[in-house]
Amino acid sequence: MPIVRIDMFEGRDRKTKQELVKSITSEMVRITGCSEASVHVVINNVAKEDWGLGGELAAIKFPD
Amino acid sequence: MPIVRIDMFEGRDRKTKQELVKSITSEMVRITGCSEASVHVVINNVAKEDWGLGGELAAIKFPD
Amino acid sequence: MPIVRIDMFEGRDRKTKQELVKSITSEMVRITGCSEASVHVVINNVAKEDWGLGGELAAIKFPD
Amino acid sequence: MPIVRIDMFEGRDRKTKQELVKSITSEMVRITGCSEASVHVVINNVAKEDWGLGGELAAIKFPD
Amino acid sequence: MPIVRIDMFEGRDRKTKQELVKSITSEMVRITGCSEASVHVVINNVAKEDWGLGGELAAIKFPD
Amino acid sequence: MPIVRIDMFEGRDRKTKQELVKSITSEMVRITGCSEASVHVVINNVAKEDWGLGGELAAIKFPD
Protein backbone atom coordinates (compact mmCIF):
# COMPACT_ATOMS: atom_id res chain seq x y z
CA MET A 1 0.00 0.00 0.00
CA PRO A 2 2.77 2.50 0.43
CA ILE A 3 3.02 4.97 -2.42
CA VAL A 4 6.38 6.59 -3.00
CA ARG A 5 6.53 9.59 -5.31
CA ILE A 6 9.88 10.90 -6.47
CA ASP A 7 10.33 14.33 -8.02
CA MET A 8 13.74 14.53 -9.62
CA PHE A 9 15.39 16.20 -12.58
CA GLU A 10 14.48 14.63 -15.88
CA GLY A 11 17.07 12.75 -17.86
CA ARG A 12 17.66 9.54 -15.90
CA ASP A 13 17.63 6.40 -18.05
CA ARG A 14 15.52 3.32 -17.60
CA LYS A 15 18.27 1.36 -15.89
CA THR A 16 18.64 4.02 -13.20
CA LYS A 17 14.87 4.17 -12.71
CA GLN A 18 14.65 0.39 -12.40
CA GLU A 19 17.44 0.43 -9.83
CA LEU A 20 15.65 3.16 -7.85
CA VAL A 21 12.36 1.30 -7.89
CA LYS A 22 13.97 -1.97 -6.86
CA SER A 23 16.04 -0.50 -4.08
CA ILE A 24 13.40 1.80 -2.59
CA THR A 25 10.79 -0.94 -2.69
CA SER A 26 13.11 -3.33 -0.95
CA GLU A 27 13.94 -0.75 1.76
CA MET A 28 10.22 -0.05 2.29
CA VAL A 29 9.61 -3.77 2.77
CA ARG A 30 12.58 -4.24 5.12
CA ILE A 31 11.82 -1.22 7.29
CA THR A 32 8.01 -1.06 7.41
CA GLY A 33 7.17 -4.72 6.98
CA CYS A 34 4.78 -4.14 4.09
CA SER A 35 4.59 -6.67 1.27
CA GLU A 36 6.73 -6.13 -1.83
CA ALA A 37 3.72 -6.39 -4.14
CA SER A 38 2.01 -3.52 -2.34
CA VAL A 39 4.67 -0.88 -2.98
CA HIS A 40 4.05 1.67 -5.73
CA VAL A 41 6.76 4.07 -6.88
CA VAL A 42 5.83 6.93 -9.22
CA ILE A 43 8.61 9.00 -10.76
CA ASN A 44 8.00 12.61 -11.78
CA ASN A 45 10.70 13.83 -14.14
CA VAL A 46 10.99 17.58 -13.69
CA ALA A 47 12.64 19.89 -16.23
CA LYS A 48 15.20 22.32 -14.81
CA GLU A 49 12.94 25.05 -16.11
CA ASP A 50 10.23 23.85 -13.73
CA TRP A 51 12.23 23.65 -10.52
CA GLY A 52 13.04 26.68 -8.40
CA LEU A 53 15.60 26.66 -5.63
CA GLY A 54 16.38 29.61 -3.42
CA GLY A 55 14.33 31.83 -5.69
CA GLU A 56 15.99 30.86 -8.95
CA LEU A 57 15.14 28.34 -11.64
CA ALA A 58 17.48 25.35 -11.69
CA ALA A 59 17.75 25.97 -15.44
CA ILE A 60 19.57 29.22 -14.65
CA LYS A 61 21.37 28.10 -11.47
CA PHE A 62 22.65 24.83 -12.92
CA PRO A 63 22.84 25.25 -16.70
CA ASP A 64 23.72 22.05 -18.52
CA MET B 1 -13.36 22.85 -3.79
CA PRO B 2 -12.51 19.20 -3.93
CA ILE B 3 -9.39 18.48 -5.97
CA VAL B 4 -9.10 15.02 -7.47
CA ARG B 5 -5.75 13.98 -8.85
CA ILE B 6 -5.46 10.84 -10.95
CA ASP B 7 -2.16 9.12 -11.69
CA MET B 8 -2.65 6.60 -14.46
CA PHE B 9 -0.72 5.14 -17.35
CA GLU B 10 -0.34 7.52 -20.26
CA GLY B 11 -2.11 6.81 -23.52
CA ARG B 12 -5.79 7.45 -22.79
CA ASP B 13 -7.53 9.57 -25.41
CA ARG B 14 -9.48 12.74 -24.85
CA LYS B 15 -12.85 11.02 -24.94
CA THR B 16 -11.84 8.72 -22.08
CA LYS B 17 -10.49 11.63 -20.08
CA GLN B 18 -13.66 13.63 -20.60
CA GLU B 19 -15.73 10.65 -19.48
CA LEU B 20 -13.57 10.26 -16.36
CA VAL B 21 -13.84 13.93 -15.47
CA LYS B 22 -17.59 13.98 -16.00
CA SER B 23 -18.26 10.83 -14.04
CA ILE B 24 -15.94 11.49 -11.12
CA THR B 25 -17.18 15.06 -10.77
CA SER B 26 -20.75 13.89 -10.74
CA GLU B 27 -20.00 11.23 -8.09
CA MET B 28 -18.20 13.82 -5.93
CA VAL B 29 -21.26 16.07 -6.14
CA ARG B 30 -23.73 13.25 -5.41
CA ILE B 31 -21.79 11.84 -2.46
CA THR B 32 -20.25 14.88 -0.77
CA GLY B 33 -22.81 17.51 -1.66
CA CYS B 34 -20.25 19.94 -3.10
CA SER B 35 -21.17 22.07 -6.11
CA GLU B 36 -20.30 20.81 -9.57
CA ALA B 37 -18.45 24.00 -10.45
CA SER B 38 -16.11 23.53 -7.49
CA VAL B 39 -14.67 20.16 -8.52
CA HIS B 40 -11.21 20.09 -10.09
CA VAL B 41 -9.79 16.95 -11.64
CA VAL B 42 -6.12 16.86 -12.65
CA ILE B 43 -4.84 13.91 -14.66
CA ASN B 44 -1.19 12.87 -14.46
CA ASN B 45 -0.27 10.61 -17.36
CA VAL B 46 2.57 8.37 -16.20
CA ALA B 47 4.87 6.49 -18.57
CA LYS B 48 5.35 2.80 -17.79
CA GLU B 49 9.00 3.63 -17.38
CA ASP B 50 8.10 5.88 -14.46
CA TRP B 51 5.90 3.51 -12.48
CA GLY B 52 7.25 0.81 -10.23
CA LEU B 53 5.14 -2.00 -8.85
CA GLY B 54 6.44 -4.67 -6.51
CA GLY B 55 9.98 -3.52 -7.15
CA GLU B 56 9.83 -3.58 -10.93
CA LEU B 57 9.13 -0.96 -13.56
CA ALA B 58 5.77 -1.39 -15.26
CA ALA B 59 7.68 -0.98 -18.54
CA ILE B 60 9.36 -4.32 -17.81
CA LYS B 61 6.49 -6.03 -16.02
CA PHE B 62 3.86 -5.11 -18.59
CA PRO B 63 5.63 -4.53 -21.90
CA ASP B 64 3.35 -3.22 -24.61
CA MET C 1 -2.47 0.91 -10.80
CA PRO C 2 -4.37 4.13 -10.94
CA ILE C 3 -3.93 6.28 -7.85
CA VAL C 4 -6.69 8.73 -7.08
CA ARG C 5 -6.00 11.40 -4.50
CA ILE C 6 -8.84 13.52 -3.15
CA ASP C 7 -8.30 16.78 -1.29
CA MET C 8 -11.53 17.79 0.38
CA PHE C 9 -12.67 19.58 3.51
CA GLU C 10 -12.29 17.50 6.63
CA GLY C 11 -15.34 16.26 8.47
CA ARG C 12 -16.81 13.56 6.24
CA ASP C 13 -17.71 10.38 8.08
CA ARG C 14 -16.56 6.86 7.30
CA LYS C 15 -19.75 5.96 5.44
CA THR C 16 -19.30 8.85 3.02
CA LYS C 17 -15.66 7.96 2.48
CA GLN C 18 -16.52 4.34 1.82
CA GLU C 19 -19.15 5.41 -0.69
CA LEU C 20 -16.62 7.69 -2.44
CA VAL C 21 -14.01 4.95 -2.62
CA LYS C 22 -16.49 2.42 -3.93
CA SER C 23 -18.00 4.68 -6.54
CA ILE C 24 -14.78 6.24 -7.83
CA THR C 25 -13.08 2.86 -8.04
CA SER C 26 -15.98 1.43 -9.97
CA GLU C 27 -15.98 4.39 -12.40
CA MET C 28 -12.21 4.03 -12.92
CA VAL C 29 -12.71 0.36 -13.76
CA ARG C 30 -15.63 1.00 -16.08
CA ILE C 31 -14.01 3.86 -17.98
CA THR C 32 -10.32 2.92 -18.13
CA GLY C 33 -10.60 -0.86 -18.07
CA CYS C 34 -8.15 -1.27 -15.16
CA SER C 35 -8.75 -4.00 -12.61
CA GLU C 36 -10.69 -3.17 -9.45
CA ALA C 37 -7.92 -4.51 -7.22
CA SER C 38 -5.42 -2.09 -8.75
CA VAL C 39 -7.22 1.13 -7.81
CA HIS C 40 -5.93 3.13 -4.85
CA VAL C 41 -7.84 6.06 -3.43
CA VAL C 42 -6.15 8.30 -0.85
CA ILE C 43 -8.22 10.94 0.92
CA ASN C 44 -6.60 14.09 2.26
CA ASN C 45 -8.88 15.82 4.76
CA VAL C 46 -8.07 19.51 4.68
CA ALA C 47 -9.03 21.95 7.46
CA LYS C 48 -10.76 25.13 6.32
CA GLU C 49 -7.82 26.95 7.82
CA ASP C 50 -5.54 25.26 5.32
CA TRP C 51 -7.46 25.97 2.14
CA GLY C 52 -7.32 29.25 0.32
CA LEU C 53 -9.74 30.26 -2.41
CA GLY C 54 -9.60 33.50 -4.31
CA GLY C 55 -7.03 34.82 -1.88
CA GLU C 56 -8.94 34.06 1.31
CA LEU C 57 -8.91 31.17 3.74
CA ALA C 58 -12.00 28.99 3.52
CA ALA C 59 -12.13 29.30 7.31
CA ILE C 60 -12.93 32.99 6.87
CA LYS C 61 -14.93 32.76 3.65
CA PHE C 62 -17.12 29.87 4.79
CA PRO C 63 -17.23 29.97 8.59
CA ASP C 64 -19.03 27.01 10.15
CA MET D 1 12.28 23.47 3.72
CA PRO D 2 8.98 24.60 2.39
CA ILE D 3 8.00 22.90 -0.85
CA VAL D 4 5.60 24.76 -3.12
CA ARG D 5 4.01 22.85 -5.96
CA ILE D 6 2.12 24.71 -8.66
CA ASP D 7 -0.27 23.01 -11.06
CA MET D 8 -1.08 25.37 -13.89
CA PHE D 9 -1.88 25.22 -17.59
CA GLU D 10 1.13 24.47 -19.75
CA GLY D 11 2.50 27.12 -22.06
CA ARG D 12 4.16 29.65 -19.75
CA ASP D 13 7.62 30.69 -20.85
CA ARG D 14 10.81 30.57 -18.83
CA LYS D 15 10.70 34.24 -17.93
CA THR D 16 7.24 33.87 -16.38
CA LYS D 17 8.35 30.77 -14.47
CA GLN D 18 11.45 32.55 -13.17
CA GLU D 19 9.30 35.46 -12.03
CA LEU D 20 6.90 33.08 -10.25
CA VAL D 21 9.72 31.24 -8.50
CA LYS D 22 11.40 34.46 -7.41
CA SER D 23 8.24 36.10 -6.16
CA ILE D 24 6.75 33.10 -4.38
CA THR D 25 10.06 32.29 -2.72
CA SER D 26 10.42 35.81 -1.51
CA GLU D 27 6.87 35.86 -0.11
CA MET D 28 7.48 32.52 1.67
CA VAL D 29 10.61 33.99 3.27
CA ARG D 30 8.90 37.24 4.26
CA ILE D 31 5.81 35.62 5.74
CA THR D 32 7.09 32.40 7.31
CA GLY D 33 10.62 33.45 8.18
CA CYS D 34 12.24 30.46 6.46
CA SER D 35 15.56 30.91 4.69
CA GLU D 36 15.56 31.70 0.97
CA ALA D 37 17.86 28.78 0.18
CA SER D 38 15.40 26.32 1.73
CA VAL D 39 12.45 27.08 -0.56
CA HIS D 40 11.68 24.63 -3.37
CA VAL D 41 9.14 25.41 -6.06
CA VAL D 42 8.08 22.67 -8.47
CA ILE D 43 5.92 23.58 -11.45
CA ASN D 44 3.59 21.04 -13.01
CA ASN D 45 2.51 22.13 -16.50
CA VAL D 46 -0.89 20.61 -17.16
CA ALA D 47 -2.40 20.23 -20.62
CA LYS D 48 -5.97 21.47 -21.00
CA GLU D 49 -6.83 17.93 -21.93
CA ASP D 50 -5.77 16.81 -18.44
CA TRP D 51 -7.68 19.33 -16.37
CA GLY D 52 -11.34 19.00 -15.56
CA LEU D 53 -13.46 21.80 -14.15
CA GLY D 54 -17.11 21.47 -13.23
CA GLY D 55 -17.23 18.12 -14.98
CA GLU D 56 -15.74 19.21 -18.27
CA LEU D 57 -12.23 19.15 -19.70
CA ALA D 58 -10.62 22.58 -19.92
CA ALA D 59 -9.72 21.61 -23.49
CA ILE D 60 -13.42 21.70 -24.33
CA LYS D 61 -14.48 24.49 -21.97
CA PHE D 62 -11.67 26.86 -22.95
CA PRO D 63 -10.55 25.93 -26.46
CA ASP D 64 -7.49 27.83 -27.65
CA MET E 1 -7.36 27.18 -12.10
CA PRO E 2 -3.89 27.15 -10.67
CA ILE E 3 -3.49 24.95 -7.63
CA VAL E 4 -0.71 25.80 -5.23
CA ARG E 5 0.23 23.26 -2.60
CA ILE E 6 2.55 24.22 0.23
CA ASP E 7 4.30 21.68 2.43
CA MET E 8 5.73 23.43 5.46
CA PHE E 9 6.40 22.68 9.11
CA GLU E 10 3.26 22.63 11.22
CA GLY E 11 2.67 25.32 13.78
CA ARG E 12 1.88 28.44 11.77
CA ASP E 13 -1.17 30.34 13.01
CA ARG E 14 -4.21 31.35 11.02
CA LYS E 15 -3.02 34.90 10.48
CA THR E 16 0.19 33.69 8.84
CA LYS E 17 -1.73 31.24 6.68
CA GLN E 18 -4.16 33.95 5.59
CA GLU E 19 -1.24 36.21 4.70
CA LEU E 20 0.38 33.41 2.66
CA VAL E 21 -2.84 32.65 0.79
CA LYS E 22 -3.48 36.32 0.05
CA SER E 23 0.02 37.09 -1.10
CA ILE E 24 0.62 33.96 -3.17
CA THR E 25 -2.77 34.30 -4.85
CA SER E 26 -2.09 37.89 -5.72
CA GLU E 27 1.35 37.03 -7.16
CA MET E 28 -0.17 34.20 -9.24
CA VAL E 29 -2.72 36.65 -10.64
CA ARG E 30 -0.13 39.36 -11.34
CA ILE E 31 2.39 37.04 -13.01
CA THR E 32 0.25 34.50 -14.86
CA GLY E 33 -2.81 36.61 -15.58
CA CYS E 34 -5.25 34.06 -14.12
CA SER E 35 -8.33 35.28 -12.27
CA GLU E 36 -8.15 35.68 -8.49
CA ALA E 37 -11.21 33.48 -7.97
CA SER E 38 -9.55 30.59 -9.77
CA VAL E 39 -6.55 30.24 -7.45
CA HIS E 40 -6.56 27.43 -4.90
CA VAL E 41 -3.94 27.18 -2.18
CA VAL E 42 -3.74 24.02 -0.06
CA ILE E 43 -1.46 23.99 2.96
CA ASN E 44 0.00 20.72 4.24
CA ASN E 45 1.30 21.11 7.79
CA VAL E 46 4.10 18.60 8.25
CA ALA E 47 5.38 17.49 11.65
CA LYS E 48 9.17 17.61 12.10
CA GLU E 49 8.95 13.89 12.68
CA ASP E 50 7.67 13.48 9.13
CA TRP E 51 10.27 15.52 7.27
CA GLY E 52 13.69 14.20 6.39
CA LEU E 53 16.53 16.41 5.20
CA GLY E 54 19.93 15.13 4.22
CA GLY E 55 19.07 11.74 5.64
CA GLU E 56 17.91 12.90 9.04
CA LEU E 57 14.50 13.71 10.49
CA ALA E 58 13.96 17.42 11.05
CA ALA E 59 12.75 16.42 14.53
CA ILE E 60 16.32 15.34 15.33
CA LYS E 61 18.17 17.92 13.26
CA PHE E 62 16.16 20.90 14.48
CA PRO E 63 14.74 19.98 17.89
CA ASP E 64 12.37 22.59 19.29
CA MET F 1 16.86 18.42 -5.03
CA PRO F 2 15.00 15.19 -5.21
CA ILE F 3 11.80 15.19 -3.21
CA VAL F 4 10.49 11.85 -2.03
CA ARG F 5 6.95 11.69 -0.70
CA ILE F 6 5.76 8.57 1.09
CA ASP F 7 2.09 7.83 1.70
CA MET F 8 1.80 5.03 4.21
CA PHE F 9 -0.54 3.91 6.98
CA GLU F 10 -0.23 6.00 10.12
CA GLY F 11 1.21 4.49 13.25
CA ARG F 12 4.93 4.13 12.54
CA ASP F 13 7.17 5.38 15.34
CA ARG F 14 9.96 7.91 15.04
CA LYS F 15 12.70 5.28 14.94
CA THR F 16 11.11 3.63 11.88
CA LYS F 17 10.66 7.00 10.17
CA GLN F 18 14.28 7.94 10.84
CA GLU F 19 15.40 4.60 9.41
CA LEU F 20 13.27 5.16 6.29
CA VAL F 21 14.60 8.67 5.77
CA LYS F 22 18.20 7.57 6.24
CA SER F 23 17.97 4.56 3.99
CA ILE F 24 15.97 6.15 1.16
CA THR F 25 18.20 9.22 1.15
CA SER F 26 21.28 7.06 0.95
CA GLU F 27 19.83 5.01 -1.94
CA MET F 28 18.89 8.20 -3.80
CA VAL F 29 22.46 9.43 -3.44
CA ARG F 30 24.01 6.13 -4.46
CA ILE F 31 21.79 5.60 -7.51
CA THR F 32 21.23 9.12 -8.87
CA GLY F 33 24.44 10.80 -7.76
CA CYS F 34 22.66 13.72 -6.08
CA SER F 35 24.10 15.20 -2.90
CA GLU F 36 22.86 13.91 0.45
CA ALA F 37 22.00 17.39 1.65
CA SER F 38 19.66 17.92 -1.30
CA VAL F 39 17.30 15.02 -0.57
CA HIS F 40 13.94 15.80 1.03
CA VAL F 41 11.65 13.07 2.31
CA VAL F 42 8.10 13.96 3.35
CA ILE F 43 5.99 11.33 5.08
CA ASN F 44 2.20 11.43 4.82
CA ASN F 45 0.62 9.25 7.52
CA VAL F 46 -2.72 8.06 6.20
CA ALA F 47 -5.49 6.70 8.41
CA LYS F 48 -7.01 3.39 7.29
CA GLU F 49 -10.25 5.28 7.01
CA ASP F 50 -8.69 7.46 4.30
CA TRP F 51 -7.25 4.74 2.09
CA GLY F 52 -9.29 2.78 -0.40
CA LEU F 53 -8.07 -0.35 -2.10
CA GLY F 54 -10.04 -2.31 -4.63
CA GLY F 55 -13.11 -0.25 -3.84
CA GLU F 56 -13.06 -0.72 -0.08
CA LEU F 57 -11.66 1.34 2.77
CA ALA F 58 -8.59 -0.22 4.35
CA ALA F 59 -10.34 0.41 7.68
CA ILE F 60 -12.92 -2.21 6.68
CA LYS F 61 -10.64 -4.52 4.69
CA PHE F 62 -7.89 -4.64 7.30
CA PRO F 63 -9.48 -3.88 10.68
CA ASP F 64 -6.95 -3.57 13.50
Side-chain angles (χ1 to χ4, degrees):
Chain A
M1 266 124 338
I3 301 169
V4 180
R5 190 175 304 263
I6 302 172
D7 296 306
M8 60 182 187
F9 287 148
E10 63 183 5
R12 265 73 184 219
D13 61 15
R14 182 180 290 200
K15 201 169 145 285
T16 304
K17 291 175 180 177
Q18 169 56 29
E19 206 179 337
L20 263 183
V21 160
K22 190 179 169 187
S23 151
I24 284 177
T25 301
S26 124
E27 290 304 283
M28 289 296 300
V29 170
R30 182 178 68 79
I31 296 169
T32 72
C34 64
S35 79
E36 189 184 58
S38 72
V39 182
H40 286 256
V41 180
V42 179
I43 296 172
N44 182 28
N45 305 288
V46 182
K48 284 187 175 178
E49 188 176 303
D50 291 320
W51 200 308
L53 254 172
E56 201 169 13
L57 286 184
I60 295 172
K61 208 171 183 133
F62 312 119
D64 289 320
Chain B
M1 266 125 341
I3 300 169
V4 180
R5 189 174 306 263
I6 302 172
D7 298 306
M8 63 181 186
F9 286 148
E10 62 183 4
R12 264 75 184 217
D13 61 15
R14 182 180 291 201
K15 201 169 143 284
T16 305
K17 290 175 181 178
Q18 169 57 29
E19 206 178 339
L20 263 182
V21 160
K22 190 180 169 186
S23 150
I24 284 177
T25 300
S26 123
E27 290 305 283
M28 288 297 300
V29 169
R30 182 178 67 80
I31 297 168
T32 71
C34 64
S35 79
E36 189 185 58
S38 71
V39 182
H40 286 257
V41 180
V42 179
I43 298 173
N44 182 29
N45 304 287
V46 182
K48 284 188 175 176
E49 189 177 301
D50 291 319
W51 200 308
L53 253 172
E56 202 169 13
L57 287 183
I60 295 171
K61 208 170 182 134
F62 311 118
D64 289 321
Chain C
M1 264 119 346
I3 301 169
V4 180
R5 191 176 303 266
I6 303 170
D7 297 306
M8 61 181 190
F9 286 148
E10 63 183 5
R12 265 75 184 216
D13 62 14
R14 181 179 292 202
K15 200 167 146 287
T16 305
K17 292 175 180 178
Q18 169 56 29
E19 207 177 338
L20 263 182
V21 160
K22 190 179 170 187
S23 151
I24 284 177
T25 300
S26 122
E27 290 305 281
M28 289 297 300
V29 169
R30 182 178 68 79
I31 297 169
T32 72
C34 64
S35 78
E36 189 186 58
S38 71
V39 183
H40 285 257
V41 180
V42 180
I43 298 171
N44 182 28
N45 305 288
V46 182
K48 285 188 175 176
E49 188 177 302
D50 292 317
W51 201 309
L53 254 172
E56 200 168 17
L57 287 183
I60 295 172
K61 208 169 183 135
F62 311 119
D64 289 320
Chain D
M1 264 123 341
I3 300 170
V4 180
R5 190 174 306 263
I6 302 171
D7 297 306
M8 61 181 188
F9 286 148
E10 62 182 6
R12 266 73 184 218
D13 61 16
R14 183 181 289 200
K15 199 168 146 285
T16 304
K17 291 175 181 177
Q18 170 57 28
E19 206 178 337
L20 263 181
V21 160
K22 190 179 169 186
S23 151
I24 284 177
T25 301
S26 122
E27 291 304 283
M28 289 296 300
V29 170
R30 183 178 68 79
I31 297 168
T32 72
C34 64
S35 79
E36 188 186 58
S38 71
V39 182
H40 286 257
V41 180
V42 180
I43 297 172
N44 182 28
N45 305 287
V46 182
K48 284 187 174 178
E49 187 176 303
D50 292 320
W51 200 308
L53 255 172
E56 201 169 13
L57 287 183
I60 295 171
K61 209 169 183 135
F62 312 117
D64 290 320
Chain E
M1 266 123 336
I3 300 169
V4 180
R5 189 175 304 265
I6 301 171
D7 296 307
M8 61 181 189
F9 287 148
E10 62 184 6
R12 264 76 183 216
D13 60 16
R14 181 180 292 202
K15 199 168 147 285
T16 305
K17 292 175 180 176
Q18 170 56 28
E19 206 178 339
L20 264 181
V21 160
K22 190 180 169 187
S23 151
I24 284 177
T25 300
S26 122
E27 290 304 283
M28 290 297 299
V29 170
R30 181 178 68 80
I31 297 169
T32 72
C34 64
S35 79
E36 188 185 60
S38 71
V39 183
H40 285 257
V41 180
V42 180
I43 296 171
N44 182 27
N45 305 288
V46 182
K48 286 189 173 174
E49 188 175 303
D50 291 319
W51 200 309
L53 253 172
E56 200 168 15
L57 287 182
I60 295 172
K61 208 168 183 135
F62 312 118
D64 290 320
Chain F
M1 264 122 342
I3 300 169
V4 180
R5 190 174 304 265
I6 302 171
D7 296 307
M8 61 181 189
F9 286 148
E10 63 183 6
R12 266 73 184 219
D13 60 16
R14 181 181 291 202
K15 199 167 146 286
T16 304
K17 291 175 181 178
Q18 169 57 28
E19 206 178 339
L20 263 181
V21 160
K22 189 179 170 187
S23 151
I24 284 177
T25 300
S26 121
E27 290 305 283
M28 289 296 299
V29 170
R30 181 177 69 78
I31 296 168
T32 71
C34 64
S35 79
E36 189 185 59
S38 71
V39 183
H40 286 257
V41 180
V42 179
I43 298 172
N44 182 27
N45 305 287
V46 182
K48 286 187 173 176
E49 188 176 303
D50 291 319
W51 201 308
L53 253 171
E56 199 168 16
L57 287 183
I60 295 171
K61 207 169 184 135
F62 312 118
D64 290 319

